[in-house]
Amino acid sequence: AQSVAQPEDQVNVAEGNPLTVKCTYSVSGNPYLFWYVQYPNRGLQFLLKYITGDNLVKGSYGFEAEFNKSQTSFHLKKPSALVSDSALYFCAVRGDYGGATNKLIFGTGTLLAVQP
Amino acid sequence: GAVVSQHPSWVICKSGTSVKIECRSLDFQATTMFWYRQFPKQSLMLMATSNEGSKATYEQGVEKDKFLINHASLTLSTLTVTSAHPEDSSFYICSAKGGRGSNQPQHFGDGTRLSIL
């Protein structure tokens, strides 16, 4: 069965410092991995995805994520955090390989709090 | 690009009322749309998947007679919560995916906050 784990409920970082939001996954076959961000009372915004190719994926708002097959991880990173980055971050993996539904399996979310 | 509009943003209604939520893809054709429910401080729970022109596929435990989904066109899907009760109060989010490839991201609406009194 496909699954995604986000081990940290909350990550606190000072503005200007690098940030990392962790994600590990378990799938059969090749993973399709996604990061989304959610601001209060809003839907999810797509940040980036890994399908194939370079392990380092660059996305919106200066975020990037590194796919590590041996560690089955897809951590989200940013070199310098902004207060406006404070939000809820979801990692997701595509489930049901070979099926027609293309369901996303979401992690439980990590709240990122950037202090000024 | 890839904008999904969800309407209404907030709904407050009496118990027993039926509520319809619309999800539209504004600048792309959504071959598949998804409906999620999110409880406070929790992740998204997939309720159902709908492909244009066919019946929705509901997740286990989701009452299809309670949550009616229609995906009549490539740009519109609706979720109707029938005879809503306070326990149906939640944040409902739709998403849409274009194309047939499984590597396409889902694009999300801004959600609907449903409060049943």
Side-chain angles (χ1 to χ4, degrees):
Chain A
Q2 285 73 227
S3 66
V4 175
Q6 292 181 244
E8 303 154 317
D9 290 337
Q10 183 163 338
V11 169
N12 299 306
V13 64
E15 187 174 32
N17 283 1
L19 69 88
T20 298
V21 182
K22 296 180 180 178
C23 172
T24 58
Y25 64 89
S26 175
V27 297
S28 54
N30 295 317
Y32 293 174
L33 295 155
F34 303 83
W35 274 102
Y36 287 86
V37 59
Q38 184 181 31
Y39 295 95
N41 294 310
R42 301 291 297 274
L44 275 64
Q45 294 180 31
F46 169 72
L47 281 180
L48 52 80
K49 67 178 180 181
Y50 172 82
I51 304 300
T52 186
D54 290 340
N55 290 341
L56 185 63
V57 178
K58 294 187 182 296
S60 307
Y61 312 120
F63 283 93
E64 58 188 30
E66 185 168 11
F67 170 65
N68 187 316
K69 189 174 182 178
S70 62
Q71 297 185 5
T72 62
S73 67
F74 189 56
H75 301 332
L76 181 70
K77 299 181 180 183
K78 187 172 182 180
S80 178
L82 299 173
V83 173
S84 58
D85 292 330
S86 299
L88 189 57
Y89 290 81
F90 289 99
C91 181
V93 64
R94 194 205 74 165
D96 196 20
Y97 289 90
T101 59
N102 299 308
K103 293 188 293 187
L104 280 180
I105 310 299
F106 284 90
T108 50
T110 298
L111 183 64
L112 174 65
V114 181
Q115 285 85 37
Chain B
V3 177
V4 175
S5 173
Q6 190 172 337
H7 179 81
S9 303
W10 293 81
V11 179
I12 302 174
C13 58
K14 293 180 180 180
S15 184
T17 306
S18 292
V19 179
K20 179 184 282 189
I21 303 170
E22 292 188 349
C23 181
R24 294 181 184 272
S25 57
L26 299 185
D27 52 1
F28 68 102
Q29 293 186 325
T31 51
T32 308
M33 285 186 168
F34 304 83
W35 287 96
Y36 295 86
R37 186 171 179 178
Q38 186 180 30
F39 293 99
K41 299 184 179 180
Q42 292 190 26
S43 189
L44 280 71
M45 181 191 79
L46 179 64
M47 299 174 65
T49 303
S50 72
N51 292 294
E52 184 266 337
S54 60
K55 289 184 178 180
T57 301
Y58 289 81
E59 296 299 300
Q60 190 174 5
V62 178
E63 300 175 59
K64 58 182 67 177
D65 295 331
K66 175 76 171 177
F67 299 99
L68 301 178
I69 291 172
N70 183 278
H71 191 169
S73 76
L74 282 171
T75 60
L76 173 65
S77 177
T78 60
L79 167 68
T80 301
V81 184
T82 61
S83 186
H85 292 285
E87 59 267 27
D88 299 323
S89 299
S90 191
F91 192 53
Y92 293 87
I93 308 175
C94 74
S95 72
K97 187 177 80 68
R100 298 289 178 185
S102 57
N103 59 357
Q104 297 300 314
Q106 293 181 24
H107 299 281
F108 288 79
D110 276 344
T112 297
R113 176 75 58 193
L114 176 61
S115 295
I116 308 299
L117 304 177

